[in-house]
Amino acid sequence: MKKLLFAIGSILFVFGISDVFSQVHTLVLQPGPDSGIDCYFNSVIPDIPDPTTITFSANAWTFGGLPGVGRSLLKFDLTQIPATAVVLSAKLNLYYFDNGNGTHYGNNESLLQKVTAAWNKMTATWNNQPTATSLGQVYLPSATDPTQNYTNIDVTTLVSEMVRNPATNFGFLFRLVTEELLTKTILASCENPNTAGRPKLIIEYVFCPTIAADFNYQIEDQKVTFTDQTSGAISWMWDFGDGYFSNLKNPAHLYENQGIYTVCLVVNDSCGSDTLCQNVHVCEMPQPHFYYTANTQMVSFRDSSTLPQLWFWDFGDGFYSDLKDPEHYFNEPGTYYVCERVTNACNVQTFCDSVTIIANAIDNHSKIYKVNIYPNPVHDVVFMSLGLSTASTASIELFTAQNSSLRKWEKKISPGNDPISLDVAGLSKGLYFLQTKIDGIVLLNKLIIL
């Protein structure tokens, strides 16, 4: 079974092909004159292209009695291989061809270099030849036979880069290591009439499966154990959402505080990476509950919830509170559906119960008070009058819609309809409530401030 080796940092991973990839594919490229992309040029005729030469040469020779250097270019069409494929091997075969120019000669050590710029076989010359890099270049030793073929040349590294980055596939430059006079290598180009003797590239590759990050987790108190479920991952990076990280495959993490944390896993294989994020609830859900005691129409509510952090009460009569243990006066007797909504870092839960209000004689006596508030809506000063037959003192308190107390007044009330004034200047626009306590009676009125 073939093996793949991958290095991450200083760690070397070895995988069997059958463990990671599917079937190995083989592509054989041996183009002819119609589809082949190669050419030759030399320094003696620096501006004349030679796109149809039968030889693929690297030489330093005399041309018409003038010394010069010759090089060749060769490119294969690799578009049949997807860029995400992994090239296992790429072997190039170059064959000797006698076109009347003799045989290999001299110390003809040569190089195959990766071309780094675009070129055209019909126009490439010595003076406009493309650049090439020595990075990853392939060395061919001097021929041991004047008609030697060069077979199974390992160009895997160069071809892998050409496949991985198709836009930079500009092929190979063939040249002598030392371009000294009377040295040459004579091989066949794609123009060779003998089809078997043309340049041949054999590539073995496999398709990379698309990696998809996946994980699950278990929560015990504030400790969370994460388990990677990704297929084929070879490295992991966890972001626990609280400033801590891990590169273990299956880490466990202890959170300092309860809350909802966005946990992200980044996985890598030899082909690429993928990321998955999930919200992890590191806490217990709140369990709402309350009880109450009623004193005629004044009801005291007491929260008995588990793990609440915030409270919101709906008393069922159009009034609300955000206190933990509010008191509320119901203006009219009857049955009200009171709901308490509690919140913590994990969730919101609601509990509702019916509250029955039964009026007594004192409550009925309160109906003799007819409170008149004007203007309503108001900007700065509101006036209040009560039809009292005797003088009295009223305790007046202004509340927000959430039952938060803002201002208080103690006012002497004269008999008749003489109004009292209440300064509400500087308050934000919105709905408010005026609670008036007089002679043991509690009255509640809505007030709108503009």
Side-chain angles (χ1 to χ4, degrees), residues 22-269:
S22 56
Q23 179 183 356
V24 176
H25 298 264
T26 301
L27 177 65
V28 179
L29 299 173
Q30 195 170 23
D34 293 336
S35 58
I37 307 173
D38 60 3
C39 65
Y40 170 80
F41 46 77
N42 69 52
S43 60
V44 173
I45 47 175
D47 295 309
I48 300 177
D50 189 1
T52 59
T53 181
I54 299 178
T55 59
F56 181 71
S57 285
N59 51 33
W61 210 254
T62 57
F63 305 90
L66 297 175
V69 174
R71 299 173 179 174
S72 296
L73 294 169
L74 172 63
K75 178 182 174 181
F76 289 93
D77 182 358
L78 303 176
T79 56
Q80 297 180 57
I81 306 176
T84 56
V86 172
V87 175
L88 304 179
S89 70
K91 298 298 178 64
L92 179 62
N93 295 288
L94 299 172
Y95 304 97
Y96 168 75
F97 179 71
D98 184 3
N99 67 338
N101 289 326
T103 61
H104 307 314
Y105 192 87
N107 183 19
N108 65 336
E109 296 174 303
S110 54
L111 297 170
L112 284 167
Q113 296 180 329
K114 184 177 183 294
V115 179
T116 57
W119 53 279
N120 187 313
K121 63 177 285 187
M122 304 303 297
T123 59
T125 66
W126 181 268
N127 281 345
N128 69 9
Q129 63 181 291
T131 55
T133 177
S134 61
L135 186 65
Q137 65 185 7
V138 177
Y139 168 78
L140 303 182
S142 183
T144 58
D145 185 289
T147 61
Q148 176 179 323
N149 295 325
Y150 289 84
T151 58
N152 292 318
I153 304 169
D154 190 351
V155 290
T156 304
T157 300
L158 296 180
V159 171
S160 293
E161 179 63 24
M162 295 172 185
V163 169
R164 190 163 48 249
N165 299 291
T168 64
N169 176 19
F170 304 118
F172 305 95
L173 173 69
F174 184 45
R175 54 160 292 173
L176 294 172
V177 174
T178 304
E179 294 173 322
E180 295 180 347
L181 199 60
L182 300 181
T183 308
K184 61 181 177 180
T185 301
I186 305 294
L187 301 169
S189 74
C190 298
E191 304 288 330
N192 189 351
N194 176 13
T195 57
R198 296 167 182 166
K200 180 167 63 174
L201 180 62
I202 304 173
I203 305 171
E204 289 187 342
Y205 65 94
V206 289
F207 293 107
C208 271
T210 301
I211 190 170
D214 189 21
F215 69 89
N216 59 30
Y217 57 90
Q218 292 183 335
I219 301 175
E220 183 179 353
D221 296 327
Q222 289 174 219
K223 178 183 177 181
V224 184
T225 302
F226 297 93
T227 303
D228 172 60
Q229 298 291 310
T230 310
S231 176
I234 59 175
S235 70
W236 304 262
M237 178 53 68
W238 297 84
D239 180 347
F240 298 119
D242 61 350
Y244 290 90
F245 306 87
S246 174
N247 61 1
L248 299 178
K249 179 180 181 180
N250 301 312
H253 182 62
L254 180 63
Y255 287 88
E256 295 181 4
N257 301 302
Q258 292 193 10
I260 300 176
Y261 297 90
T262 300
V263 178
C264 294
L265 168 64
V266 181
V267 293
N268 291 271
D269 64 8

Side-chain angles (χ1 to χ4, degrees), residues 271-338:
C271 300
S273 65
D274 189 41
T275 301
L276 174 66
C277 297
Q278 297 187 51
N279 286 335
V280 178
H281 294 243
V282 186
C283 52
E284 297 181 40
M285 300 294 184
Q287 300 297 324
H289 194 269
F290 67 84
Y291 64 91
Y292 64 91
T293 56
N295 182 10
T296 64
Q297 289 170 238
M298 178 64 75
V299 180
S300 298
F301 293 92
R302 294 295 178 264
D303 171 66
S304 56
S305 304
T306 302
L307 300 175
Q309 293 176 323
L310 296 172
W311 301 262
F312 184 80
W313 297 81
D314 180 348
F315 297 115
D317 61 351
F319 293 90
Y320 310 93
S321 174
D322 60 1
L323 299 178
K324 178 184 178 183
D325 301 313
E327 292 185 344
H328 181 63
Y329 183 84
F330 291 88
N331 284 332
E332 299 292 338
T335 299
Y336 298 88
Y337 200 56
V338 179

